[in-house]
């Protein structure tokens, strides 16, 4: 998403020049390393040789991220002066580089929160809530948040979390959502290649994305179990990969979930066809993960023109948009019976499901396109640059 945002900013706004400082490593893919530098779409990319971030343990991942931040700091101090440094939460130690450069050059930095560390690690059980590492990371996170000129949260639930837990004033937080491209994910009819290839003819419930620690798959599979013998029209397709894949496979076999099908990621060219195959698509969060992230898949579901069935708390950004736009159904976490009932109700009312889908597509086009999001980021960068100029006078 960040490359798309950078390209949009560079092409849309003549006053924007962008340098990117990143790693030469490839997180996943065929090649081992990327070139040391290149110019892409008018954007200069500078890549550094640092340890790979996908290490086996939490401590080693943190060390690899810290090494990147240190090397990035040193490299950025050799580059021209910048009006604004823009930094995200991956790797978690990346704000070290932004804060070092901001102090040395009297610049300002804007901090984008996608996955708030260590809070996310605590929520999924990877770190203890009161361990020494968690305490140290929370102190560092508080400094980075309060040192930023503006913090960008990708949802109102995240803004509220930053205010309540870290004491960050709401006026310093800009809520800018994720997005989807209505051209890359067009509104397509239901008779797709994915359906034809796999023989789906009835009501298809789709989960497409990462099988990660943030997702509450137990509720989804429990609902599938309730529907298995109750409604033969309804099938579930889980498309993706991740740390919970083996857990999904075990549950499907042990519970005899003959209405649940597991598929690998599809190619980018097949993605829109996959989303259009659904009669309804699923979004889910583990309890405790609200405010720490917003599932980006939600915006692709909106673009596909399909209703969302969201297993999330009512305060989450996804729940708020569903209520505002009438584009789906929200059910409580761990309430498999309510989820099964919601799915059954949409399967029994196809006209209402289609109406929700049309409202979803309309919401995407009005609120959540890349062009609209880029405008908001541009305004935040202008404000940060102006604050920096005033600070240097």
């Amino acid at each position: 998403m960040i490359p798309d945002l950078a390209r949009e900013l560079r092409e849309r706004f003549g006053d924007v020049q962008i340098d990117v400082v990143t790693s030469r490593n490839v997180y996943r893919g065929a090649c081992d390393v990327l070139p040391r530098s290149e110019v892409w779409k008018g954007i200069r990319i500078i890549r550094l040789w640092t340890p790979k971030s996908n290490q086996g343990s939490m401590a080693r991942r943190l060390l690899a991220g810290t090494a990147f931040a240190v090397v990035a700091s040193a490299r950025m101090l050799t580059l021209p002066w910048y009006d604004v440094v823009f930094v995200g939460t991956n790797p978690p130690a990346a704000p070290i580089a932004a804060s070092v450069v901001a102090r040395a050059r009297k610049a300002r930095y804007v901090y984008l929160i996608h996955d708030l560390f260590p809070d996310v690690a605590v929520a999924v059980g990877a770190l203890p809530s009161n361990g020494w590492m968690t305490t140290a990371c929370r102190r560092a996170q508080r400094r980075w948040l309060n040192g930023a000129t503006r913090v960008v949260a990708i949802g109102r639930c995240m803004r509220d979390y930053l205010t309540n837990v870290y004491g960050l004033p709401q006026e310093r937080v800009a809520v800018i959502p994720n997005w989807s491209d209505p051209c890359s994910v067009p509104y397509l009819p239901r008779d797709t290649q994915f359906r034809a290839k796999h023989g789906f003819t009835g009501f298809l419930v789709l989960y497409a994305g990462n099988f990660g620690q943030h997702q509450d798959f137990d509720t989804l599979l429990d609902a599938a179990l309730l529907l298995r013998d109750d409604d033969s029209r309804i099938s579930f397709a889980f498309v993706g990969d991740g740390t919970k894949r083996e857990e999904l496979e075990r549950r499907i076999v042990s519970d005899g979930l003959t209405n649940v099908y597991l598929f690998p990621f599809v190619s980018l060219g097949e993605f829109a066809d996959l989303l259009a195959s659904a009669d309804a698509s699923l979004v889910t969060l583990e309890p405790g993960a609200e405010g720490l992230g917003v599932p980006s898949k939600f915006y692709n579901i909106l673009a596909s023109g399909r209703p969302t069935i969201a297993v999330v708390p009512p305060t989450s950004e996804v729940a708020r948009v569903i209520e505002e736009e009438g584009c789906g159904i929200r059910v409580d976490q761990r309430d498999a019976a309510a989820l099964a009932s919601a799915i059954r109700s949409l399967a029994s009312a196809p006209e209402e499901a289609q109406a929700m889908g049309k409202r979803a597509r309309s919401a995407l086009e009005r609120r959540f396109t890349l062009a609209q999001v880029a405008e908001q980021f541009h305004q935040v960068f202008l404000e940060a640059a102006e604050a920096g100029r005033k600070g240097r006078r």
Side-chain angles (χ1 to χ4, degrees):
M1 300 186 76
I2 296 301
D4 287 342
L5 175 62
R7 173 187 50 77
E8 185 75 12
L9 288 166
R10 186 70 181 87
E11 293 178 354
R12 180 174 289 271
F13 303 102
D15 60 340
V16 172
Q17 294 184 350
I18 300 174
D19 286 353
V20 174
V21 177
T22 186
S23 169
R24 292 188 69 187
N25 297 318
V26 179
Y27 190 80
R28 61 168 65 94
C31 61
D32 292 327
V33 294
L34 294 165
R36 291 180 61 183
S37 63
E38 65 176 299
V39 176
W40 174 78
K41 306 290 186 180
I43 299 165
R44 182 169 66 147
I45 304 174
I46 300 160
R47 298 191 179 94
L48 309 174
W49 187 272
T50 60
K52 287 191 174 184
S53 61
N54 52 341
Q55 301 287 333
S57 70
M58 178 67 67
R60 292 178 67 182
R61 288 198 295 272
L62 286 174
L63 285 172
T66 302
F68 168 79
V70 171
V71 174
S73 300
R75 183 68 178 93
M76 290 169 69
L77 291 175
T78 70
L79 297 173
W81 177 87
Y82 296 101
D83 293 288
V84 177
V85 177
F86 181 44
V87 65
T89 46
N90 294 308
I96 292 174
S99 58
V100 166
V101 174
R103 284 197 301 270
R105 296 289 180 85
K106 295 184 176 161
R108 299 301 176 106
Y109 70 92
V110 173
Y111 189 12
L112 170 63
I113 312 297
H114 270 144
D115 300 301
L116 190 66
F117 190 87
D119 308 64
V120 166
V122 171
V124 300
L127 282 178
S129 59
N130 295 311
W132 69 267
M133 184 181 293
T134 302
T135 301
C137 290
R138 280 203 171 115
R139 287 174 180 166
Q141 188 65 262
R142 190 180 299 273
R143 287 196 300 272
W144 298 333
L145 287 165
N146 285 281
T149 302
R150 294 297 296 277
V151 173
V152 177
I154 57 175
R156 289 163 283 187
C157 54
M158 183 180 287
R159 175 201 61 199
D160 296 342
Y161 185 91
L162 294 172
T163 298
N164 295 333
V165 176
Y166 285 94
L168 197 64
Q170 282 203 5
E171 61 270 17
R172 292 192 42 214
V173 183
V175 178
I176 304 179
N178 284 328
W179 64 87
S180 182
D181 181 358
C183 296
S184 298
V185 185
Y187 182 77
L188 298 175
R190 180 173 174 266
D191 52 340
T192 62
Q193 294 179 14
F194 182 83
R195 275 183 171 269
K197 179 179 179 180
H198 299 291
F200 290 116
T201 56
F203 191 88
L204 183 62
V205 182
L206 174 68
Y207 178 93
N210 189 38
F211 302 159
Q213 295 292 342
H214 297 173
Q215 281 76 43
D216 172 19
F217 290 110
D218 285 334
T219 304
L220 308 188
L221 296 177
D222 289 344
L225 182 60
L226 292 172
L227 291 167
R228 182 191 59 189
D229 303 321
D230 182 58
D231 199 326
S232 60
R233 300 171 300 164
I234 299 171
S235 299
F236 293 77
F238 289 80
V239 182
D241 203 354
T243 56
K244 286 192 174 182
R245 183 181 181 87
E246 291 185 3
E247 179 183 324
L248 284 168
E249 291 173 339
R250 284 195 299 270
R251 281 286 314 267
I252 291 169
V253 173
S254 64
D255 289 353
L257 295 175
T258 53
N259 55 344
V260 178
Y261 302 85
L262 198 59
F263 303 98
F265 280 119
V266 300
S267 69
L268 189 60
E270 299 170 305
F271 186 55
D273 178 87
L274 170 67
L275 293 178
S277 302
D279 292 288
S281 285
L282 294 166
V283 170
T284 181
L285 282 175
E286 277 282 7
E290 54 268 19
L292 304 180
V294 177
S296 59
K297 65 173 64 66
F298 175 57
Y299 302 95
N300 288 324
I301 296 169
L302 295 179
S304 73
R306 300 302 189 266
T308 299
I309 303 178
V311 185
V312 297
T315 55
S316 73
E317 182 67 20
V318 171
R320 295 185 195 196
V321 174
I322 286 175
E323 182 177 2
E324 291 161 357
E325 300 292 344
C327 58
I329 300 173
R330 185 205 70 83
V331 300
D332 289 333
Q333 296 156 304
R334 301 289 193 254
D335 193 343
L339 176 58
S341 177
I343 293 169
R344 192 183 297 109
S345 69
L346 284 182
S348 301
E351 291 183 358
E352 175 58 21
Q354 291 172 12
M356 285 182 177
K358 289 179 180 178
R359 292 193 289 268
R361 178 72 182 190
S362 173
L364 185 283
E365 292 173 345
R366 288 183 286 103
R367 298 176 59 180
F368 304 116
T369 66
L370 177 55
Q372 292 159 332
V373 168
E375 290 274 0
Q376 296 174 67
F377 270 105
H378 184 244
Q379 184 59 40
V380 167
F381 293 151
L382 289 178
E383 292 169 1
E386 179 60 25
R389 283 191 289 271
K390 289 181 179 178
R392 290 190 295 273
R393 289 173 188 167

